[in-house]
Amino acid sequence: MLRAGALLALGGATTSLTGCDPFDRDGDAAPAPDPLAPLVEEALALAAAHTDAAAAHPTLAGRLTPIAEAHRAHAAELARLSRTAPPSASAPASPATEGAPAAALAALRDRERAGRENATKACAEAPADRAALLASIVAARATHVEVLR
């Protein structure tokens, strides 16, 4: 009788310990990166492209500086929301600085369109608590395309 009770107790204990498997590797996996992390980097790259183009073409600075500031603000908010540390390294020089001002604007428009598409995709896939921010970024990038005409 004691032996049966001990086996029952032992059997019950082993079934309750199955979650404590020392060889369980599920806990070792690194958490997946936040889907907003690439958008942080993209926003900073867009800000750098506008800043570089404004420096290369001072006549465009009045149009480009506010756009660069908007991208930096978006990057900061995306980083806060995703708990992602923004990259500390600055982006390499942008091709938007080459050529005439019209060519710089065209290159920036192309980058803004690509960024808008990326933000649109992220918005469509995002949970509700992130969709509002992403939708405002999509709208801002659409506006940037128009300002760069």
Side-chain angles (χ1 to χ4, degrees):
M1 184 77 124
L2 288 174
R3 207 179 258 179
L7 286 174
L8 282 174
L10 183 59
T14 58
T15 58
S16 66
L17 292 176
T18 56
C20 297
D21 179 8
F23 301 107
D24 181 18
R25 301 290 182 219
D26 290 341
D28 292 345
D34 193 292
L36 295 183
L39 293 176
V40 173
E41 294 174 18
E42 181 180 58
L44 291 173
L46 283 166
H50 286 280
T51 300
D52 292 348
H57 306 286
T59 59
L60 299 177
R63 290 166 72 184
L64 301 181
T65 301
I67 296 173
E69 291 169 358
H71 284 302
R72 282 188 202 92
H74 292 156
E77 188 59 20
L78 287 164
R80 185 197 66 76
L81 187 61
S82 66
R83 295 185 178 101
T84 303
S88 58
S90 60
S94 167
T97 62
E98 300 169 1
L105 290 173
L108 290 170
R109 274 194 311 271
D110 289 343
R111 291 186 73 172
E112 288 287 347
R113 284 185 190 111
R116 181 188 63 206
E117 293 305 315
N118 292 337
T120 299
K121 182 179 178 199
C123 183
E125 297 170 355
D129 65 328
R130 294 173 170 212
L133 172 62
L134 292 167
S136 69
I137 290 171
V138 170
R141 291 180 180 177
T143 302
H144 298 163
V145 170
E146 294 305 314
V147 169
L148 295 169
R149 289 195 186 279

